[in-house]
Amino acid sequence: MIAPPDGFVLQPGQTWTATARGLSYGLRHWSDGANAAYVVLEDGSVVSIQTTPTQGKGHNSPLLKGAAKFPVPATAPVAHSIIPWPRHVATTGSRIAPVGFELHAKGPLATRAGQAFANLTAELFPVEAIVRPASEAGMPVHVVEKAGLGEEAYELSFEENSATVSATGYSGLFYGLVTLGHMLRGARQYPGTFTFPTGGTISDEPGFKFRGSHLDVARQFYTGAEVSRLIRIMAWNKMNKFHWHLTEDEAWRLEIDAYPQLTEIAAWRGHGKALPPLLGSGPQATGGFYSKKTVREIVALGESLGISIIPEIDMPGHFYAALQALPHLRDPAEKGEYQSVQGFPNNSLNPAHEPVYDFVNNIVDEVLDLFPAGVFHLGADEVPLAAWSGSPLALDMIERMGGPELRKKHEAQFNQLGNHHGADEIEGSPTALIQAEFIRRVHKYIAGKGAVTGGWEEAAHGDAVDKSNSYVIGWRNVEINAALAERGFDIVVSPGQRYYLDMANGVSWAEPGAGWAGWSGPQETYEFEARDGFSEEGLKHLLGIQSCIWSESMTDRAIFDRLVFPRLSAIAEAGWTVPERKSWERFKALVGLMPIMYGNWAAE
């Protein structure tokens, strides 16, 4: 908020220029800076005003939006268009591509998988009619259950005018059909580039069991239909974990029966509301939340496509929105103010305030009832170093755990960091000590419900989670992943430098996106190898990889397409295809056939 000097009157025809200094980070890309603005007049009325993208030094090129185009070449390095690329391809012959498939499923799993594939292709490619009856020239595809393969493994065999999908598990049957769908679309749309075989086999299974994508729906809200489309695109990329980041400082997005204030108050931003306009939202009320009915529909969709839906309720930090709605969760005697690295004041649940645990337990109960995958991701990231330094309850807790000297150290944090953008908590600090106690207690409750706890890497501080029924996501840098695995934590690799899809595609000012972790173009993202740096023992704890779609920069959907595609497919292939089978040249020749979220592949 910027106010004019006292007594200032803007005369008709005149302008007033205000300069903001002291940014917490330098501007790197055109999507940085102000994305929305409004003026509050003396009588309290509000006038929306237009903003223009911030101009970078020396910038004179068009601002880039929409997914960058990856044209399908006249000659490709391989005969078939398949992403992720399979483990073994030994096909023979070539025929004119069939117009579609007639599915002949044997057994209950095969029938379910065939129906899921038919539904998926009808949604993603409604005009292509990939599944069709024999009366419309559908080529017979036999879907059969076969013992002895892994849950996600499959085999394809080809004849002159038919194909067979064989697998042991439901996911394997489904993925085999998806591979056939890829091959069909390539051969139909680019018959001079790709072929459809008349013989031979493909056998395949994934390199990692955890192949995920996260979506932050708090900074920007995505409707249930949008979330469903992303899940379908993930399934077409053979990804199997959807990490739904439902809460943040900026909003709470999940209906909770016990606390209707969370969606009545904390799901909305606007002028005069408990949450002000942020990240491109204007003065009008904007936001939304997911009803339990919508959640159940999305969970069922994910289940049908082999995707587990993992909810995240980020705690104890990143909790500003919920604390605005439920102020009784604060220590009533807390004084002063600390700030998060993003600038939110007093944004963390207090581990020393007993009503917090009744609240958290109720949240865990309702969330686990909604999400049958049996995983509760509790976040645990980016608690400010000075958090709770003005809370008598927290200071007493620190003294009980670490003695009076540790209490004095934490009280001093407020003098050093209060009213500033505080550094994140660091392992061994007083903040980390009592956060670990909070995580330990919440984790025990989650485990008592028979569920697994997920967390960002900070959940491992102080060994707060039991390694036998938890996993953590390494995000700050590449090295942290191997280090956590060496300590015995099951790890999902998602370094900001490569797998955070809010990072810009390049250094150019014309590219949208964030830049705190640098940049990662599609090739850099594709060629990153998560296994590098792991010992043989550490690899036993490497579950897989995950892309993270943080939404601060995604103030319009064309920016979403620009940032997410084709990097989502690049990460999907890194999760499925073993390193020796990866090829950037092949991938970039095929990826233009993959579906994207909103628009079409744009021209550069």
Side-chain angles (χ1 to χ4, degrees):
M1 293 185 289
I2 301 172
D6 288 342
F8 176 81
V9 176
L10 184 63
Q11 299 295 338
Q14 291 186 340
T15 61
W16 170 54
T17 300
T19 302
R21 301 188 186 279
L23 294 173
S24 58
Y25 60 90
L27 304 182
R28 300 178 179 92
H29 300 283
W30 73 263
S31 55
D32 290 335
N35 287 290
Y38 61 98
V39 174
V40 182
L41 302 179
E42 190 174 29
D43 64 2
S45 60
V46 173
V47 179
S48 293
I49 57 175
Q50 288 187 325
T51 61
T52 57
T54 308
Q55 291 297 300
K57 185 177 180 181
H59 172 67
N60 60 2
S61 60
L63 305 180
L64 297 172
K65 291 187 178 184
K69 187 170 181 62
F70 281 77
V72 176
T75 303
V78 290
H80 310 305
S81 59
I82 307 169
I83 291 177
W85 189 249
R87 192 164 291 217
H88 302 287
V89 179
T91 56
T92 60
S94 175
R95 55 158 285 176
I96 296 173
V99 296
F101 298 138
E102 182 191 31
L103 303 183
H104 298 268
K106 293 184 179 179
L109 289 182
T111 300
R112 277 182 53 218
Q115 188 59 58
F117 175 73
N119 293 341
L120 176 63
T121 54
E123 288 286 345
L124 287 180
F125 315 110
V127 301
E128 296 183 32
I130 289 175
V131 175
R132 58 175 69 199
S135 60
E136 297 178 13
M139 187 189 83
V141 171
H142 304 285
V143 189
V144 298
E145 299 169 28
K146 175 183 177 179
L149 301 179
E151 171 60 28
E152 296 184 299
Y154 66 88
E155 295 175 347
L156 300 180
S157 60
F158 298 91
E159 303 292 340
E160 187 71 29
N161 192 40
S162 68
T164 300
V165 178
S166 304
T168 300
Y170 174 80
S171 293
L173 293 163
F174 175 72
Y175 290 143
L177 287 166
V178 168
T179 294
L180 275 180
H182 282 228
M183 297 171 71
L184 175 65
R185 295 190 72 242
R188 276 179 59 180
Q189 293 183 32
Y190 295 90
T193 304
F194 303 112
T195 65
F196 199 88
T198 57
T201 60
I202 293 175
S203 58
D204 199 10
E205 62 182 333
F208 286 127
K209 65 181 182 181
F210 192 116
R211 306 176 307 280
S213 186
H214 147 294
L215 179 66
D216 159 24
V217 298
R219 275 60 176 261
Q220 310 292 344
F221 181 66
Y222 302 85
T223 65
E226 290 174 295
V227 174
S228 296
R229 177 164 176 82
L230 179 62
I231 289 171
R232 291 184 176 103
I233 291 171
M234 288 175 58
W236 196 249
N237 283 271
K238 299 189 176 80
M239 300 175 100
N240 66 351
K241 308 289 184 185
F242 176 61
H243 175 163
W244 204 354
H245 189 83
L246 289 160
T247 68
E248 259 300 341
D249 290 315
E250 292 88 348
W252 180 287
R253 302 296 191 198
L254 180 64
E255 180 182 25
I256 298 293
D257 292 338
Y259 305 101
Q261 307 97 308
L262 289 170
T263 46
E264 291 170 357
I265 296 171
W268 306 94
R269 304 198 292 255
H271 178 66
K273 291 191 171 294
L275 293 170
L278 295 162
L279 303 169
S281 61
Q284 69 285 351
T286 57
F289 63 92
Y290 305 100
S291 68
K292 290 193 169 184
K293 178 177 181 293
T294 295
V295 169
R296 290 189 178 99
E297 290 169 352
I298 290 172
V299 166
L301 172 66
E303 185 178 53
S304 74
L305 300 176
I307 295 176
S308 299
I309 313 293
I310 299 169
E312 180 185 357
I313 306 297
D314 200 352
M315 62 178 79
H318 289 280
F319 225 76
Y320 181 78
L323 288 169
Q324 291 296 94
L326 300 171
H328 74 278
L329 296 178
R330 298 188 185 277
D331 175 356
E334 185 168 3
K335 297 177 181 179
E337 181 179 288
Y338 61 86
Q339 288 192 352
S340 73
V341 70
Q342 291 88 5
F344 284 89
N346 298 356
N347 75 330
S348 303
L349 282 173
N350 192 326
H353 190 36
E354 197 59 30
V356 162
Y357 295 97
D358 290 336
F359 166 79
V360 170
N361 292 350
N362 289 334
I363 295 296
V364 170
D365 290 347
E366 291 201 34
V367 169
L368 288 178
D369 180 63
L370 277 174
F371 294 91
V375 180
F376 186 102
H377 195 291
L378 50 64
D381 62 314
E382 293 190 323
V383 172
L385 191 58
W388 317 301
S389 49
S391 163
L393 289 173
L395 293 169
D396 288 347
M397 183 177 180
I398 288 170
E399 184 169 350
R400 288 195 304 273
M401 297 179 69
E405 289 303 314
L406 198 64
R407 177 188 180 122
K408 290 178 183 177
K409 178 180 178 181
H410 197 55
E411 284 180 302
Q413 294 288 1
F414 178 73
N415 296 325
Q416 297 167 15
L417 295 168
N419 293 314
H420 296 283
H421 294 263
D424 301 343
E425 58 92 357
I426 53 176
E427 197 157 10
S429 68
T431 310
L433 180 71
I434 60 172
Q435 164 163 310
E437 192 59 31
F438 171 86
I439 298 299
R440 201 170 283 118
R441 184 167 169 180
V442 176
H443 170 61
K444 183 178 180 181
Y445 189 82
I446 293 168
K449 295 289 182 177
V452 170
T453 298
W456 301 103
E457 64 191 53
E458 293 94 329
H461 289 182
D463 289 351
V465 290
D466 182 348
K467 297 167 185 174
S468 67
N469 63 345
S470 66
Y471 73 93
V472 293
I473 302 172
W475 65 272
R476 288 178 190 264
N477 55 53
V478 172
E479 293 76 19
I480 191 66
N481 299 290
L484 287 166
E486 289 298 321
R487 286 171 55 185
F489 287 96
D490 285 346
I491 183 78
V492 173
V493 171
S494 187
Q497 294 78 4
R498 287 291 177 261
Y499 283 180
Y500 270 31
L501 298 187
D502 57 319
M503 294 300 121
N505 281 282
V507 296
S508 168
W509 180 266
E511 290 283 3
W516 63 263
W519 64 275
S520 189
Q523 183 172 358
E524 290 78 12
T525 300
Y526 180 86
E527 292 180 344
F528 172 73
E529 177 47 57
R531 300 170 180 84
D532 288 349
F534 279 76
S535 68
E536 187 173 340
E537 184 63 28
L539 286 171
K540 296 176 183 177
H541 294 286
L542 177 52
L543 301 181
I545 63 178
Q546 174 175 292
S547 65
C548 286
I549 304 173
W550 298 103
S551 294
E552 288 96 328
S553 299
M554 298 180 186
T555 51
D556 72 39
R557 296 325 198 215
I559 295 177
F560 185 101
D561 277 352
R562 181 82 186 176
L563 292 172
V564 174
F565 304 103
R567 294 188 296 181
L568 183 79
S569 293
I571 294 168
E573 181 145 309
W576 183 282
T577 306
V578 292
E580 60 269 24
R581 298 284 284 171
K582 288 171 64 178
S583 163
W584 167 250
E585 292 302 315
R586 180 194 64 235
F587 176 83
K588 74 177 183 179
L590 308 183
V591 75
L593 276 157
M594 299 297 281
I596 65 176
M597 190 79 168
Y598 297 103
N600 298 312
W601 294 98
E604 285 287 68

